[in-house]
Amino acid sequence: QVQLVESGGGLVQAGGSLRLSCAASGRTFSRYAMGWFRQAPGKEREFVAHISRDRIITSYGDSVKGRFTISRDNAKNTVYLQMNSLKPEDTAVYYCAARDPALSGTYDYWGQGTQVTVSS
């Protein structure tokens, strides 16, 4: 099992940048693929980015491609989301999630979320 805690959210002007962090508990962080998702008020949860256990494979939602970058440091049990060229439509609660590819095809562990607000 793994526990996730996001940080780094806040208020930023359009065109600005933020870096979100997600710290994972436990000694087996490297066995988990990690993802970022977001949910805006009144909207469904949206996939943002994914990174494989070994950092080789990354993928992004269409709305953030070219602006956001996911990375991870397995030695620090942390996954990051660098967000550049932020837009007001990026405003949402951002969640990190973990899944064990050996056991599940779905994300089974979620953090509590961190609010990102982009002003125009």
Side-chain angles (χ1 to χ4, degrees):
Q1 203 168 21
V2 62
Q3 294 181 326
L4 306 171
V5 179
E6 302 96 334
S7 62
L11 174 64
V12 63
Q13 289 188 333
S17 298
L18 280 176
R19 187 175 83 154
L20 305 183
S21 299
C22 174
S25 64
R27 297 173 292 178
T28 57
F29 176 70
S30 61
R31 71 184 288 173
Y32 295 98
M34 300 298 296
W36 285 97
F37 294 78
R38 67 187 183 185
Q39 188 166 21
K43 295 188 176 181
E44 293 187 351
R45 187 170 61 198
E46 176 187 13
F47 166 73
V48 175
H50 162 90
I51 188 166
S52 62
R53 294 178 293 181
D54 54 11
R55 304 190 300 271
I56 292 176
I57 298 173
T58 59
S59 62
Y60 297 90
D62 289 341
S63 60
V64 307
K65 282 180 182 176
R67 300 187 299 121
F68 290 12
T69 303
I70 189 171
S71 62
R72 66 188 293 166
D73 185 336
N74 286 344
K76 295 183 178 180
N77 284 11
T78 302
V79 62
Y80 304 96
L81 185 69
Q82 178 66 44
M83 305 186 295
N84 298 329
S85 302
L86 282 161
K87 304 175 182 180
E89 51 263 44
D90 294 318
T91 295
V93 178
Y94 284 71
Y95 300 90
C96 71
R99 69 178 180 93
D100 186 339
L103 299 178
S104 174
T106 61
Y107 288 92
D108 296 317
Y109 305 101
W110 294 82
Q112 83 290 346
T114 186
Q115 176 71 47
V116 171
T117 303
V118 184
S119 63
S120 57

